[in-house]
């Protein structure tokens, strides 16, 4: 007898050359049983599916397999699960069938109603995030207010529908996360499809003392320039390595290419813009062509801080006078009562802070306007009275109030969204020329350029001392020199690209352009159709509109206009962060709530619900 080993058996099983019988030939062909109306006498209807008909019990609604579509198995279900229903008449089963159909319709209506309640809940959660309110406000205020209004205006049936809204703290938090994730994914898709993008970066501390890095992105979508909140990531020490690693980890994780980055705008912090080891140097190791833009608002604020010792003493003394009254609640209330009795325009002074750049001009202007009330309020024994009665001190004070107000106007112009570098340079260049004009007028004793200063001289018929004129002239010259130091070299570089601001003017300085770009610029100069549609206020939109006809020169212009010119968006983000993350919400995960507060995207709630596949439920 031949002995067959296990290995031989395995080889024979794996020998696919030998003929074998298929499983379909061995098994009998599966049949699909059809429903018979007589089955209702047993207590069964069917699911209505022609391709896979299955019996359904009209008593319990249980749906059986197609193989059970035979009388003996149907009888067995009734005998096993509903023995008390055995032998009932046909009318009984017909009533059960109608009841079953009604319950199906109720389930469908319940699902549709609950879906509307979920949609409304998402909309309310979005508004909570956009206003920066606590998540508990949904359950503690919004839902009770809706119930009160509906209960008064409508019937109890509508009130029951309102009760299906889910606005608990956890629900609001979860749905804010869902919407934020959807917004972030849409933004990342657009940035990845954009030909170029630029970043705006800054960091600050929250209420916990934890450093938060906020990043905004500007990109091209649908032939238009858009800017939006990209991310907010916590950092521990705020070093250049940590900031870059955090930013680079986010960028690479989202699949964004550094090679598409055409600009980075930050403030002048060494960790962000240092020459040897900073965020910009590390980014340039990946993409050497990334230009860095020092925030224009920060530079203007640094220029305005330059003061001589004499003027700085006047500023410090003025701040002390304000703090003597304003920082003490009792003194502040008494001073307010005095202003009311004297019929003053204003009833309080303003506090000064170095963090708020615009505060100096407003503080000094208010002090000038209320100087008589302040002098009357301060006791004769108070040391500050002598300053307010010193003519030279008041002259210097009024001048500082006027010049700081003019600097504030320039600062406010630099703030905003969507400006271009050429309009900023035009405004700064004009201000620098006005400084020289004011200097010349002051030296010629023409004081009309400074309103408060001039009014005080006229009202009191004062002859201005030459030392004060010299001090003012020197300060104006110092401001002009500081503007030159911070802006002049950059403006000269961009002057060579002045053709971007208006391609329909003659420009000799087009160095750096390729021959093809110069040819397209000449053709565009003679294009009357685009000349009629040119809008200086929408510069980047114009260059994107001519990209199809003049691609080379259009690309050069867009890459120069796409970078941010200031970190204004980040400053707005930090203001929103302070409002959202308070002492009572110090453990809040900031990124998602901040995104919905700052984003410009329109949220499609239907798509959010579809992406997350939320189960509909009426409970809280």
């Amino acid at each position: 007898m031949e002995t067959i080993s296990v290995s031989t058996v395995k080889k024979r099983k794996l020998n696919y050359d030998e003929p074998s019988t298929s499983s379909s030939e061995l098994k009998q062909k599966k049949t699909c049983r059809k429903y018979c109306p007589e089955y209702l006498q047993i207590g069964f209807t069917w699911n209505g599916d022609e391709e896979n008909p299955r019996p359904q019990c009209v008593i319990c609604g249980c749906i059986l397999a197609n193989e059970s579509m035979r009388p003996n198995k149907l009888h067995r279900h009734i005998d096993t699960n509903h023995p008390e229903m055995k032998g009932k008449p046909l009318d009984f089963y017909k009533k059960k069938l109608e009841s079953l159909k009604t319950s199906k319709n109720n389930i469908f209506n319940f699902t549709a109603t609950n879906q509307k309640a979920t949609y409304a809940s998402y909309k309310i959660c979005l508004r909570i995030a956009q206003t920066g309110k606590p998540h508990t406000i949904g359950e503690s205020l919004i839902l009770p207010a809706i119930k009160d209004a509906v209960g008064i205006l409508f019937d109890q049936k509508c009130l029951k529908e309102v009760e299906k809204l889910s606005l608990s703290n956890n629900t609001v938090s979860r749905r804010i996360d869902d919407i934020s994730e959807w917004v972030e994914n849409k933004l990342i898709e657009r940035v990845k499809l954009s030909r170029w993008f630029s970043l705006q970066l800054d960091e600050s501390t929250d209420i916990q003392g934890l450093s938060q890095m906020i990043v905004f992105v500007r990109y091209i979508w649908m032939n238009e320039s858009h800017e939006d909140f990209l991310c907010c990531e916590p950092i521990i020490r705020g070093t250049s390595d940590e900031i870059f690693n955090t930013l680079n980890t986010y960028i690479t994780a989202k699949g964004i290419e550094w090679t598409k980055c055409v600009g980075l705008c930050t403030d002048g912090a060494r960790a962000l813009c240092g020459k040897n080891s900073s965020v910009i140097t590390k980014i340039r190791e990946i993409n050497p062509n990334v230009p860095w833009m020092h925030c224009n608002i920060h530079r203007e604020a640094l220029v305005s801080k330059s003061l001589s010792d004499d003027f700085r003493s006047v500023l410090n003394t003025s701040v002390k006078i304000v703090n003597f009254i304003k920082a003490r609640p009792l003194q502040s209330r008494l001073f307010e009562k005095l202003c009311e009795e004297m019929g003053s325009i204003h009833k309080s002074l303003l506090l000064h802070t170095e963090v708020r750049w615009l505060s100096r001009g407003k503080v000094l202007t208010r002090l000038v306007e209320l100087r008589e009330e302040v002098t009357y309020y301060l006791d004769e024994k108070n040391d500050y009275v002598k300053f307010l009665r010193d003519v030279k001190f008041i002259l210097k004070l009024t001048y500082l109030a006027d010049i700081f107000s003019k600097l504030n106007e320039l600062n406010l112009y630099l703030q905003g969204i969507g400006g271009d570098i050429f309009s900023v340079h035009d405004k700064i260049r004009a201000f620098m020329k006005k400084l020289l004009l004011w200097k010349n007028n002051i030296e010629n004793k023409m004081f009309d350029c400074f309103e408060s200063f001039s009014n005080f001289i006229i009202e009191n018929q004062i002859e201005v001392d030459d030392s004060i004129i010299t001090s003012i002239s020197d300060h104006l010259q110092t401001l002009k020199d500081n503007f030159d130091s911070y802006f002049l070299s950059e403006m000269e570089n961009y002057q060579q690209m002045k053709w971007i601001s208006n391609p329909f003017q003659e420009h000799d300085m087009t160095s750096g352009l390729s021959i093809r770009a110069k040819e397209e610029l000449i053709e565009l100069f003679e294009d009357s159709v685009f000349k009629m549609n040119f809008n200086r206020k929408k510069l980047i939109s114009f260059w994107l509109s001519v990209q199809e006809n003049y691609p080379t020169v259009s690309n050069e212009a867009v890459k120069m206009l796409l970078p941010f010119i200031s970190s204004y968006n980040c400053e707005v983000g930090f203001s929103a962060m302070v409002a959202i993350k308070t002492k009572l919400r110090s453990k809040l995960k900031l990124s998602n709530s901040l995104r919905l507060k700052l984003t410009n995207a329109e949220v499609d709630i239907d798509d959010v619900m579809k992406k997350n596949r939320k189960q509909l439920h009426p409970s809280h």
Side-chain angles (χ1 to χ4, degrees):
M1 183 177 178
E2 182 182 359
T3 303
I4 301 176
S5 64
V6 177
S7 61
T8 306
V9 173
K10 290 183 178 180
K11 290 180 180 179
R12 288 182 179 179
K13 287 183 179 180
L14 296 173
N15 188 2
Y16 297 105
D17 294 333
E18 295 181 2
S20 60
T21 304
S22 63
S23 60
S24 61
E25 294 177 357
L26 294 175
K27 292 183 178 180
Q28 186 178 0
K29 186 177 180 181
K30 183 178 179 181
T31 59
C32 183
R33 300 182 180 275
K34 302 295 183 181
Y35 175 76
C36 179
E38 296 178 356
Y39 292 163
L40 185 58
Q41 296 180 355
I42 306 175
F44 276 86
T45 182
W46 67 305
N47 61 348
D49 189 355
E50 296 289 347
E51 296 181 358
N52 185 24
R54 299 170 64 184
Q56 183 178 18
C57 179
V58 298
I59 300 173
C60 63
C62 180
I63 299 177
L64 307 181
N66 179 262
E67 290 81 2
S68 299
M69 192 82 78
R70 57 179 71 179
N72 61 332
K73 292 191 174 183
L74 300 180
H75 276 294
R76 185 171 64 183
H77 174 84
I78 296 296
D79 294 341
T80 304
N81 298 284
H82 316 290
E84 71 280 2
M85 301 297 178
K86 186 177 179 180
K88 293 290 184 180
L90 180 62
D91 293 339
F92 173 79
Y93 291 119
K94 286 182 178 180
K95 291 179 180 179
K96 287 291 184 181
L97 178 61
E98 292 297 328
S99 177
L100 180 64
K101 291 180 178 179
T102 304
S103 64
K104 286 183 179 180
N105 293 333
N106 290 338
I107 292 173
F108 176 78
N109 293 333
F110 167 77
T111 303
T113 303
N114 197 40
Q115 188 172 9
K116 291 181 179 179
T118 305
Y119 183 93
S121 177
Y122 268 100
K123 292 287 288 185
I124 295 173
C125 293
L126 176 60
R127 291 191 178 276
I128 291 174
Q130 289 175 339
T131 55
K133 299 299 181 181
H135 299 171
T136 54
I137 197 174
E139 193 173 28
S140 63
L141 177 61
I142 297 177
L143 187 58
I146 294 176
K147 288 181 180 180
D148 292 341
V150 172
I152 295 172
L153 298 175
F154 304 100
D155 54 15
Q156 292 297 319
K157 182 179 179 181
C158 296
L159 187 60
K160 290 181 179 179
E161 297 295 326
V162 172
E163 292 177 351
K164 296 177 182 178
L165 283 173
S166 181
L167 292 175
S168 66
N169 181 28
N170 292 337
T171 301
V172 172
S173 178
R174 184 175 63 251
R175 288 178 178 169
I176 286 176
D177 293 344
D178 295 340
I179 299 172
S180 177
E181 182 182 359
W182 182 89
V183 171
E184 182 182 19
N185 292 337
K186 289 295 182 182
L187 175 63
I188 296 301
E189 290 177 7
R190 293 183 177 187
V191 174
K192 290 165 69 174
L193 293 174
S194 177
R195 182 175 297 182
W196 304 291
F197 70 90
S198 63
L199 298 177
Q200 178 185 145
L201 170 67
D202 204 354
E203 61 92 16
S204 183
T205 55
D206 58 20
I207 192 66
Q208 284 183 296
L210 178 65
S211 294
Q212 299 284 350
M213 179 187 69
I214 291 182
V215 184
F216 278 79
V217 62
R218 181 180 286 173
Y219 60 95
I220 300 170
W221 173 254
M222 301 295 289
N223 213 31
E224 289 289 340
S225 172
H226 302 269
E227 54 190 64
D228 208 337
F229 173 85
L230 182 62
C231 67
C232 175
E233 297 292 331
I235 52 180
I236 300 176
R237 292 179 297 172
T239 61
S240 59
D241 290 334
E242 186 180 8
I243 295 174
F244 171 75
N245 291 334
T246 304
L247 177 62
N248 186 53
T249 300
Y250 182 88
I251 293 292
T252 53
K254 299 301 181 180
I256 302 174
E257 300 176 10
W258 275 114
T259 54
K260 293 183 178 181
C261 183
V262 295
L264 177 68
C265 180
T266 68
D267 59 14
R270 183 177 298 178
L272 299 176
C273 61
K275 292 183 179 180
N276 298 323
S277 178
S278 64
V279 174
I280 185 61
T281 56
K282 296 179 186 301
I283 293 176
R284 283 174 177 169
E285 293 176 0
I286 305 174
N287 182 4
N289 298 321
V290 176
W292 171 70
M293 172 67 69
H294 188 183
C295 172
N296 287 279
I297 300 176
H298 282 81
R299 281 188 283 176
E300 190 275 339
L302 292 173
V303 169
S304 63
K305 284 186 175 181
S306 177
L307 286 174
S308 63
D309 294 338
D310 192 16
F311 282 122
R312 188 170 300 279
S313 176
V314 173
L315 175 62
N316 293 336
T317 302
S318 302
V319 172
K320 290 179 181 178
I321 293 174
V322 172
N323 290 342
F324 177 80
I325 299 175
K326 188 67 178 177
R328 296 170 174 81
L330 177 60
Q331 300 282 6
S332 182
R333 292 194 299 268
L334 293 175
F335 182 74
E336 180 179 353
K337 188 67 176 178
L338 174 64
C339 292
E340 291 179 358
E341 294 176 356
M342 295 181 67
S344 304
I345 300 176
H346 305 290
K347 297 180 181 180
S348 64
L349 298 171
L350 301 177
L351 281 174
H352 171 262
T353 171
E354 285 292 334
V355 177
R356 298 176 62 186
W357 301 325
L358 304 182
S359 66
R360 284 180 296 181
K362 295 180 179 180
V363 168
L364 298 183
T365 301
R366 181 65 61 86
L367 180 60
V368 169
E369 293 172 346
L370 296 177
R371 64 182 182 275
E372 293 182 1
E373 289 82 350
V374 172
T375 304
Y376 184 81
Y377 177 80
L378 294 176
D379 188 76
E380 291 291 339
K381 298 180 181 179
N382 195 296
D383 295 335
Y384 297 131
V385 174
K386 63 181 181 180
F387 293 106
L388 295 176
R389 291 177 176 173
D390 185 359
V391 175
K392 291 185 177 180
F393 179 87
I394 298 298
L395 285 173
K396 295 175 183 178
L397 175 63
T398 53
Y399 162 73
L400 288 178
D402 288 335
I403 191 62
F404 282 142
S405 297
K406 294 179 183 297
L407 288 167
N408 289 350
E409 293 176 3
L410 176 62
N411 193 290
L412 288 172
Y413 178 84
L414 299 179
Q415 299 179 23
I417 300 174
D420 62 85
I421 188 64
F422 297 100
S423 60
V424 169
H425 284 172
D426 291 343
K427 194 72 174 180
I428 293 174
R429 191 180 295 109
F431 192 85
M432 292 166 65
K433 291 181 178 179
K434 287 193 289 185
L435 286 173
L436 296 178
L437 174 64
W438 298 334
K439 179 177 180 294
N440 183 59
N441 288 351
I442 288 293
E443 291 175 350
N444 294 325
K445 296 187 177 182
M446 300 166 58
F447 309 122
D448 295 341
C449 50
F450 299 113
E451 184 177 359
S452 300
F453 185 76
S454 176
N455 290 339
F456 180 76
I457 293 173
I458 295 173
E459 290 173 1
N460 296 275
Q461 298 180 355
I462 299 171
E463 183 69 25
V464 182
D465 191 80
D466 291 339
S467 61
I468 296 179
I469 293 177
T470 302
S471 299
I472 295 175
S473 177
D474 292 342
H475 180 247
L476 293 174
Q477 184 62 48
T478 302
L479 287 176
K480 172 62 170 57
D481 295 339
N482 289 339
F483 271 106
D484 289 342
S485 175
Y486 279 100
F487 292 98
L488 187 59
S489 60
E490 180 184 89
M491 289 191 292
E492 290 176 351
N493 293 334
Y494 276 92
Q495 195 68 23
Q496 299 178 0
M497 294 168 284
K498 196 66 176 177
W499 55 269
I500 298 176
S501 62
N502 191 347
F504 302 105
Q505 290 182 352
E506 293 285 355
H507 296 286
D508 297 330
M509 303 179 70
T510 57
S511 59
L513 290 178
S514 62
I515 297 299
R516 179 58 183 166
K518 291 180 180 179
E519 291 175 353
E520 290 184 359
L521 185 59
I522 293 173
E523 294 177 7
L524 178 62
F525 179 80
E526 300 296 338
D527 195 323
S528 59
V529 176
F530 284 115
K531 185 180 292 186
M532 294 176 61
N533 297 328
F534 177 72
N535 187 350
R536 177 63 182 81
K537 295 182 179 179
K538 298 181 179 180
L539 202 55
I540 192 169
S541 299
F542 168 78
W543 283 108
L544 288 171
S545 67
V546 304
Q547 195 165 35
E548 183 177 354
N549 301 86
Y550 309 102
T552 305
V553 69
S554 174
N555 291 340
E556 294 292 332
V558 171
K559 285 193 290 186
M560 297 304 302
L561 294 172
L562 198 60
F564 289 96
I565 59 174
S566 71
S567 59
Y568 173 75
N569 289 346
C570 289
E571 301 300 334
V572 173
F574 291 133
S575 297
M577 178 185 72
V578 172
I580 292 174
K581 193 170 184 179
T582 61
K583 290 183 179 180
L584 299 178
R585 307 174 69 193
S586 59
K587 301 298 182 182
L588 175 69
K589 184 180 178 182
L590 189 60
S591 179
N592 292 334
S593 297
L594 193 61
R595 182 182 301 280
L596 298 186
K597 174 73 173 178
L598 299 175
T599 186
N600 298 318
E602 295 183 1
V603 181
D604 186 352
I605 300 297
D606 289 324
D607 195 29
V608 175
M609 295 171 61
K610 181 180 178 182
K611 295 288 184 184
N612 291 278
R613 297 177 181 177
K614 291 294 179 183
Q615 294 183 353
L616 304 178
H617 57 87
S619 64
H620 285 221

